[in-house]
Amino acid sequence: MCIRDRLNAQIMHIKSKNLKTAEALEDCNRYAEFLESITPKEYREDELGKKAARRVERQRARRAARSKWWHEKCSQERAEMKAKIEAELASTAAGRRPRKKKAEASQEELVDPPTPGTPEEDKGNSSSGEDIPMYFKEPQQLLDIFANLGESNLFLIQTCQQTEEALEELKQKFDVETAKTKKETADLDRQIAELESAIGVEEEKKSALEARDRPAGGDRRDKNKKDKRKGGKEEDLDDEADRSERQALHMEVLNKKVTEVYELTIGENESNIDAIPMLAQIEKRLEELLDLIGQMDPEFVSKEETKRDKERRDTRRLQQIEEKEKEQMLKMAERQKRAAQPVVKKTGKPLMVRHMQEKRHKKDDDLQVDDEEEDIKEFFM
């Protein structure tokens, strides 16, 4: 029983050892397949070419060795045949001539037959059975490959992140531009609606004025009135023409100034819009600039305001100096013109100055009230 138990224990130990060895072999095969899968293609092709060259060399050496062996065998057989023939000739009579056929046969036997091939050569199977040597001979090679892969993956990740950031910025810009375009479209639609409503109101006023100017049954009285007021209307038409001309000139100057401000603040007026839409765009731009200034540093804003105020004062001072110089030049020209004219001598009795009666001075309150009334009249005149 002890021997049987010992044998069973040894058998179990050997079986467990075989299982462990099989598992280790499976792991090694799996690891070898992994290494084979990451082996460079160039190395594999190079090794396969070397293996094919070795196979051809082995086939050539095998054929040479077999040909040598075959020729040696043929020469040995010829030597044995020659010795046998000579023995037969010696045993026969000395005066008998050998047959011609045997001599010819012996001459034909001097040429060796072709070398027979082996079954392996006929099948073309001359492989050595050796596998391609592994590309990885040191662990550092695998670590280098993993390091290169990690660097390339990191570069790809950074590129993807940069692309995503650029895409996000483009999306934000697109959303901002879309919202801005929608807002501008809404403003233009509102302005169009306001203009259409204003046009409708003006048309209604026009129709009402036409109906009032031409009432039914009052044509004769209008004719008489027209005849009576014909002379006075001509003067009124002249005054209206002057007034409309001044108003047109004033509107032209105003439109020119608005266009100039629009081009300075927003840009060139490519769509040729009127003064009112230009003023609306200028107001919108000013609101945006005010919001932007509100987000800036107050200290920087105050410095810039002081700087711009100083520049404006300097510009205004230079303009005033230029205007004064122009006035002085005009005055000098007038003086020179008067000096160039001949002197007119006065003749006759000189005129006496009329004596003006002294005015009574009013109180300060009345003077203050009169000054205020004069200011108001000057303002409204």
Side-chain angles (χ1 to χ4, degrees):
M1 291 297 291
C2 293
I3 295 171
R4 184 181 295 174
D5 293 338
R6 195 179 298 118
L7 290 173
N8 290 330
Q10 289 178 359
I11 291 167
M12 293 297 293
H13 178 68
I14 291 168
K15 286 182 178 179
S16 64
K17 192 174 181 180
N18 288 335
L19 288 173
K20 290 179 181 179
T21 306
E23 291 177 356
L25 179 62
E26 187 178 357
D27 294 337
C28 290
N29 289 330
R30 192 162 51 246
Y31 184 64
E33 290 177 359
F34 169 70
L35 294 178
E36 191 72 20
S37 64
I38 63 174
T39 300
K41 190 182 292 184
E42 294 81 5
Y43 176 78
R44 184 187 295 277
E45 292 176 356
D46 189 15
E47 290 297 326
L48 287 174
K50 290 179 181 179
K51 187 175 180 180
R54 289 196 299 269
R55 185 186 299 115
V56 172
E57 189 65 28
R58 283 196 302 272
Q59 289 177 357
R60 187 181 298 111
R62 192 179 293 115
R63 289 195 191 98
R66 187 164 181 77
S67 178
K68 184 179 179 183
W69 170 79
W70 179 254
H71 287 302
E72 289 178 355
K73 184 179 179 182
C74 290
S75 61
Q76 186 179 359
E77 288 180 355
R78 281 196 301 269
E80 290 177 357
M81 185 64 69
K82 188 176 180 182
K84 186 177 179 181
I85 291 169
E86 288 177 354
E88 287 178 358
L89 290 174
S91 63
T92 58
R96 188 180 294 178
R97 293 176 63 185
R99 294 181 180 180
K100 189 175 180 181
K101 291 182 178 181
K102 290 184 179 181
E104 291 176 357
S106 62
Q107 289 178 1
E108 290 176 358
E109 289 175 356
L110 293 175
V111 180
D112 294 337
T115 306
T118 60
E120 290 80 5
E121 289 178 352
D122 294 337
K123 294 178 182 178
N125 185 10
S126 61
S127 177
S128 62
E130 296 179 357
D131 294 332
I132 298 172
M134 293 188 66
Y135 173 76
F136 298 98
K137 294 179 175 58
E138 294 181 1
Q140 189 63 34
Q141 291 178 319
L142 191 61
L143 294 176
D144 293 339
I145 289 175
F146 285 155
N148 293 330
L149 289 174
E151 290 178 358
S152 62
N153 289 335
L154 182 61
F155 175 73
L156 291 174
I157 289 168
Q158 290 176 354
T159 306
C160 291
Q161 289 177 353
Q162 291 175 0
T163 307
E164 288 177 356
E165 290 176 358
L167 180 62
E168 189 66 26
E169 289 179 359
L170 288 175
K171 285 183 179 178
Q172 290 178 359
K173 288 182 180 178
F174 177 74
D175 294 338
V176 171
E177 292 295 330
T178 305
K180 185 178 178 181
T181 306
K182 288 182 179 178
K183 189 175 180 182
E184 290 178 355
T185 306
D187 293 339
L188 292 174
D189 292 337
R190 181 176 54 78
Q191 291 174 7
I192 289 168
E194 290 177 356
L195 290 173
E196 288 179 352
S197 62
I199 289 167
V201 171
E202 293 296 330
E203 287 179 352
E204 289 177 358
K205 288 181 180 180
K206 179 183 176 183
S207 60
L209 289 171
E210 288 177 353
R212 189 180 66 182
D213 291 338
R214 289 180 296 177
D219 294 337
R220 292 180 180 178
R221 285 178 291 177
D222 292 338
K223 188 175 180 181
N224 294 328
K225 288 180 181 179
K226 284 179 181 178
D227 292 335
K228 290 179 182 179
R229 298 178 182 176
K230 188 173 181 180
K233 277 190 174 181
E234 289 179 357
E235 297 178 357
D236 294 338
L237 288 173
D238 294 336
D239 294 339
E240 287 180 2
D242 294 337
R243 194 181 302 111
S244 62
E245 186 176 355
R246 289 196 301 272
Q247 189 175 3
L249 183 62
H250 179 68
M251 289 299 294
E252 185 178 355
V253 173
L254 185 61
N255 287 329
K256 186 176 179 181
K257 192 66 178 176
V258 172
T259 305
E260 184 180 354
V261 175
Y262 182 84
E263 290 178 354
L264 289 173
T265 54
I266 295 174
E268 189 175 356
N269 187 10
E270 296 179 354
S271 56
N272 294 325
I273 57 178
D274 295 333
I276 295 174
M278 280 195 287
L279 289 172
Q281 293 291 331
I282 291 168
E283 184 180 2
K284 182 180 176 183
R285 180 62 179 167
L286 288 174
E287 290 177 357
E288 292 176 357
L289 292 174
L290 288 173
D291 294 337
L292 184 62
I293 290 170
Q295 296 174 1
M296 292 182 180
D297 187 11
E299 214 174 299
F300 173 75
V301 173
S302 62
K303 287 181 180 179
E304 287 295 323
E305 286 180 353
T306 306
K307 183 179 176 181
R308 299 301 171 89
D309 292 337
K310 186 178 178 182
E311 291 177 356
R312 280 196 292 270
R313 286 195 299 271
D314 294 339
T315 306
R316 194 181 300 112
R317 190 181 300 110
L318 291 173
Q319 289 178 355
Q320 290 176 357
I321 291 169
E322 290 178 357
E323 290 176 357
K324 286 181 180 179
E325 288 178 354
K326 288 180 181 179
E327 290 179 359
Q328 288 178 0
M329 292 293 290
L330 290 173
K331 288 179 180 180
M332 289 292 293
E334 290 178 357
R335 289 175 186 172
Q336 290 176 0
K337 185 177 179 180
R338 285 198 300 269
Q341 291 177 357
V343 179
V344 180
K345 294 182 179 180
K346 295 181 180 180
T347 58
K349 187 178 180 179
L351 295 174
M352 298 299 292
V353 180
R354 184 178 177 183
H355 179 69
M356 300 298 293
Q357 192 175 5
E358 292 184 359
K359 294 182 179 180
R360 296 177 62 187
H361 295 286
K362 296 182 180 180
K363 293 182 180 179
D364 295 337
D365 296 336
D366 297 337
L367 288 172
Q368 187 175 1
V369 171
D370 294 338
D371 293 337
E372 290 178 357
E373 289 179 356
E374 288 178 358
D375 292 336
I376 292 169
K377 288 179 181 178
E378 288 178 359
F379 181 74
F380 285 107
M381 285 298 289

